[in-house]
Amino acid sequence: MTNGYRGPGAVKVTDPRNAVSGDRKKLKVLLRLGVYLYKYKWIVLLAIAMTVASNLFALIGPRLSGKAIDAIQFGKGAVDFEQVFYYCSLMALFYLLSSVLSYLLQVIMINLSRSIVRQMREDIFAKLMKMKVGYFDRVQVGDIISRISYDIDTINATLSTDFVQICTSVITVVGALAMMIAISPPLCLIFAVTVPASILFTAYNAKRVRPLFRARSAKLGELNGYAEEMLSGQRTIRAYGREKEMIARFDRRNTDAVDAYFKADYYGSMVGPTVNSINNLSLTLVSVFGALLYLGGSISLGNISSFVLYSRRFSGPINETANIISELQSAASAAERVFRLLDEEEELADVANAYGFENVRGEIEAEGVQFGYDPDRMIIKDLHLKTKPGQVVAIVGPTGAGKTTIINLLMRYYDVDKGEIRLDGVPIREAKRGTLRRSYTMVLQDTWLFSGTIRDNIAYGAVGEVTQERVEAAAKAAGIHSFIERLPEGYDTIITDDGVNISKGQRQLMTIARAMMSDAPMLILDEATSNVDSRTEMRIQKAMLKLMEGRTSFVIAHRLSTVRDADVILVLKDGVVIESGSHDELMAMEGFYHSLFFSQFKG
């Protein structure tokens, strides 16, 4: 993500290697957009053919206009009305055909851009489902959403309008130039000066504003990420009375985004008026020198009229192209951000002939495991672990000891740096991730519910036929059935916006009921009772005992009262298991666990 913008002076390219690198990057972005267009190559070819036909019809008009004018014999007072009406009728016909083709072309391009944008969004979402979990730990959700929405909408606008405009401009410029050469080659020499001036200025300005549009997209992503973060934390902000400070921080980011928009649009908008001035100069010169040639008898009045019309046709597209340069720069920056996301590293593919877990017993072994999210800072330093099938293993320790990290390693959200983890004797690195993860069911501290019915949320991930009786049985076991029955729509009640219409404790109970619907042989409970009161916790613990029967279960808990009945308690400190055993054995040691326990229950 681009964060280092330092004002207009920073955009000047002083190193030729940087310019070449930027041009290569831009070319790569265009080629990748071309890949999406190639999927609809026949529609693109049809659009190009219609663009050519529409513009050729429009280019015939000025020539016919000149012939109609020449049918008037100035000075003699004679007018060949038959010729005038003939040429005017042809003009009307060709302009009508051009307009119809232009309309049909716009319809085709809108549908084409819709298909491409739809495909791009599908590709991004599919990519997000394959990416490493670590990506979501370091990138703000708001920035990802900005790429899916704003950046792709920017690309859509370019594909639906600017693409057609550029094609039209190219055809019009070439056609108008050919017509002007046919009418009067000497007058065309005027454009040998004005056109290069327009092109050089446009190219210079494009290179100048490209970093500005890249910075604009980045600043918008940062703003969206901050806004999403603050909106999700409204209760905490208000509880601590930090509204003014959060508003001030938002203002700073908003100002940065607005300034980035202003600089990009300000320097981008300079192109259109400047090129327009150059084109107006060329039109003035055509009028002056055309009049001199007419007085010398080298050109007719009708041809002068046609040449002037063609000169406007010739200059107009150059001016329009200059005006959309800023939009193209914005689209290129947006496409670059989208493709950067698509190029992010995915989870490593399963090894060849990877093992697929079936009928898992639930025996976990870890030997000499070391892991750190940052290579310079190890979180897990030397983990040794062995569980028997059906055991309940509790992992306790102070905050930051690495408890949740162990779960991430067991699920292969991350791969260990050193050592090995085995399930039923099979190294999990050599197994299919899908079968490994389906061997677990999870209840996390952070509840996740999607917009839908309560029934659908509880049944999420269940294997086999999902009946109402089965859903109700899971809800009863979790102690939430009576609450659901009291709702107006019962199990058909719609949960909205991540479950904000029910309490946090009820959401937790619902995720526990969801876990009870799974037939996975292993269970992970990460602070599963942290959001419920003590009485509810006691009911859930009874349900949990039933849920854990026959399953290898890993329980992470800060409340040591919830893990007293665990078969094995691992005491983790600074990434190392310093004590292990049952509750009674650990209490008899009078070590770290003993001190933790009495720090919670003193008095």
Side-chain angles (χ1 to χ4, degrees):
M1 198 161 61
T2 304
N3 294 317
Y5 176 67
R6 291 185 289 274
V11 304
K12 185 177 180 180
V13 178
T14 56
D15 189 343
R17 291 173 298 178
N18 292 339
V20 172
S21 176
D23 291 338
R24 286 177 178 173
K25 187 180 294 185
K26 185 177 179 181
L27 179 60
K28 185 178 179 181
V29 169
L30 292 175
L31 289 174
R32 293 188 68 171
L33 282 174
V35 171
Y36 282 94
L37 287 169
Y38 184 76
K39 294 179 181 179
Y40 304 93
K41 54 184 178 294
W42 299 115
I43 297 177
V44 173
L45 290 174
L46 175 62
I48 293 173
M50 293 178 70
T51 303
V52 172
S54 174
N55 283 276
L56 288 179
F57 285 144
L59 285 169
I60 295 173
R63 189 67 169 169
L64 294 173
S65 173
K67 290 189 175 295
I69 292 174
D70 284 339
I72 303 172
Q73 298 180 15
F74 293 96
K76 298 180 180 180
V79 179
D80 188 344
F81 285 104
E82 184 178 347
Q83 288 290 312
V84 171
F85 288 132
Y86 172 73
Y87 289 124
C88 289
S89 299
L90 286 178
M91 283 175 60
L93 175 62
F94 284 125
Y95 281 134
L96 177 63
L97 289 173
S98 177
S99 299
V100 171
L101 287 175
S102 295
Y103 169 75
L104 294 176
L105 177 63
Q106 288 293 339
V107 173
I108 289 173
M109 290 307 299
I110 288 172
N111 282 281
L112 175 63
S113 63
R114 181 186 65 178
S115 299
I116 291 174
V117 165
R118 178 176 176 272
Q119 184 63 51
M120 290 185 78
R121 284 204 173 104
E122 287 180 355
D123 290 348
I124 288 178
F125 197 80
K127 176 73 176 185
L128 292 172
M129 296 298 103
K130 299 175 185 176
M131 285 164 61
K132 291 184 173 182
V133 174
Y135 177 81
F136 303 98
D137 293 337
R138 71 176 190 271
V139 179
Q140 289 179 312
V141 173
D143 185 56
I144 298 174
I145 294 173
S146 178
R147 300 188 196 203
I148 297 174
S149 55
Y150 167 76
D151 288 337
I152 289 188
D153 283 341
T154 302
I155 296 170
N156 180 32
T158 294
L159 290 175
S160 61
T161 57
D162 297 341
F163 177 77
V164 174
Q165 185 62 54
I166 291 172
C167 291
T168 299
S169 298
V170 170
I171 297 167
T172 301
V173 166
V174 173
L177 180 61
M179 289 293 191
M180 288 190 296
I181 292 173
I183 293 171
S184 177
L187 282 178
C188 292
L189 294 176
I190 294 170
F191 297 101
V193 177
T194 58
V195 169
S198 298
I199 293 174
L200 288 173
F201 178 77
T202 302
Y204 165 75
N205 205 70
K207 186 179 292 186
R208 187 185 186 194
V209 302
R210 188 182 305 146
L212 298 178
F213 281 99
R214 192 178 297 120
R216 186 179 83 167
S217 295
K219 291 298 181 184
L220 181 65
E222 291 176 18
L223 180 66
N224 287 343
Y226 180 79
E228 189 274 337
E229 181 181 317
M230 292 304 102
L231 290 174
S232 63
Q234 276 296 301
R235 289 179 177 83
T236 303
I237 292 171
R238 299 190 184 194
Y240 285 91
R242 309 290 283 182
E243 293 92 340
K244 290 184 179 180
E245 183 178 338
M246 294 301 103
I247 291 172
R249 291 183 184 179
F250 179 84
D251 285 345
R252 287 195 292 271
R253 286 170 173 79
N254 191 27
T255 300
D256 288 343
V258 169
D259 287 346
Y261 260 80
F262 172 78
K263 288 170 183 174
D265 291 341
Y266 175 78
Y267 289 102
S269 64
M270 293 174 62
V271 179
T274 304
V275 174
N276 195 35
S277 297
I278 297 172
N279 291 336
N280 288 334
L281 175 63
S282 68
L283 185 60
T284 303
L285 295 174
V286 166
S287 300
V288 172
F289 288 104
L292 294 175
L293 291 174
Y294 173 72
L295 293 174
S298 299
I299 190 172
S300 69
L301 194 61
N303 280 339
I304 291 178
S305 174
S306 296
F307 195 97
V308 169
L309 292 174
Y310 279 124
S311 69
R312 294 196 66 84
R313 289 271 182 180
F314 180 79
S315 303
I318 296 176
N319 188 37
E320 291 171 0
T321 301
N323 285 329
I324 65 173
I325 285 294
S326 61
E327 297 175 19
L328 294 175
Q329 294 292 333
S330 180
S333 298
E336 186 180 333
R337 279 167 49 83
V338 169
F339 290 137
R340 197 184 307 143
L341 189 153
L342 290 173
D343 289 338
E344 284 288 340
E345 190 176 358
E346 298 181 2
E347 282 191 324
L348 295 175
D350 294 330
V351 298
N353 302 316
Y355 182 84
F357 286 111
E358 295 180 6
N359 302 318
V360 172
R361 300 192 312 276
E363 181 180 306
I364 295 286
E365 295 175 88
E367 289 186 0
V369 170
Q370 295 182 24
F371 172 78
Y373 299 104
D374 183 343
D376 298 327
R377 181 174 176 268
M378 291 291 109
I379 302 297
I380 303 298
K381 297 174 182 175
D382 186 24
L383 177 66
H384 292 269
L385 166 68
K386 185 169 183 179
T387 67
K388 298 177 181 178
Q391 269 192 329
V392 177
V393 180
I395 305 174
V396 302
T399 300
K403 301 184 293 296
T404 300
T405 299
I406 291 177
I407 301 304
N408 288 336
L409 297 177
L410 292 176
M411 295 284 289
R412 272 199 80 190
Y413 291 143
Y414 295 88
D415 282 320
V416 300
D417 295 324
K418 290 183 67 175
E420 187 175 75
I421 299 176
R422 294 186 292 274
L423 171 58
D424 290 351
V426 178
I428 61 175
R429 276 184 181 271
E430 300 175 8
K432 297 178 181 178
R433 281 191 182 85
T435 60
L436 169 68
R437 291 171 182 169
R438 284 193 294 271
S439 299
Y440 291 92
T441 187
M442 302 179 71
V443 179
L444 304 178
Q445 181 178 6
D446 297 324
T447 58
W448 177 75
L449 300 174
F450 57 84
S451 296
T453 66
I454 289 177
R455 180 188 297 103
D456 291 339
N457 271 276
I458 293 177
Y460 182 80
V463 179
E465 183 182 0
V466 179
T467 62
Q468 180 66 21
E469 291 75 18
R470 190 177 167 194
V471 172
E472 289 183 6
K476 288 175 182 176
I480 196 173
H481 173 71
S482 58
F483 163 75
I484 297 173
E485 286 288 290
R486 290 195 299 270
L487 295 173
E489 302 296 328
Y491 284 85
D492 293 319
T493 300
I494 299 294
I495 296 176
T496 59
D497 298 329
D498 196 25
V500 295
N501 53 342
I502 60 175
S503 73
K504 200 167 186 179
Q506 289 157 351
R507 276 187 282 167
Q508 189 70 285
L509 291 170
M510 206 168 294
T511 60
I512 292 170
R514 177 192 294 168
M516 291 180 173
M517 291 285 292
S518 172
D519 59 355
M522 294 186 291
L523 175 67
I524 292 173
L525 304 173
D526 188 352
E527 295 290 345
T529 61
S530 61
N531 293 321
V532 296
D533 57 73
S534 298
R535 291 184 62 187
T536 305
E537 180 184 348
M538 293 176 65
R539 293 201 308 269
I540 291 176
Q541 284 181 7
K542 290 182 180 179
M544 287 300 179
L545 291 174
K546 184 176 181 181
L547 176 63
M548 291 186 288
E549 286 179 2
R551 302 184 195 225
T552 302
S553 303
F554 293 89
V555 182
I556 296 177
H558 282 104
R559 295 184 195 172
L560 299 185
S561 61
T562 62
V563 299
R564 293 180 63 167
D565 296 325
D567 297 312
V568 179
I569 300 174
L570 303 179
V571 183
L572 202 63
K573 185 179 181 183
D574 297 327
V576 178
V577 177
I578 58 173
E579 295 174 5
S580 66
S582 66
H583 171 76
D584 292 336
E585 290 171 345
L586 292 175
M587 290 299 290
M589 292 180 186
E590 297 187 2
F592 189 72
Y593 179 84
H594 181 273
S595 62
L596 277 179
F597 186 85
F598 278 104
S599 68
Q600 291 188 12
F601 295 100
K602 61 182 178 180

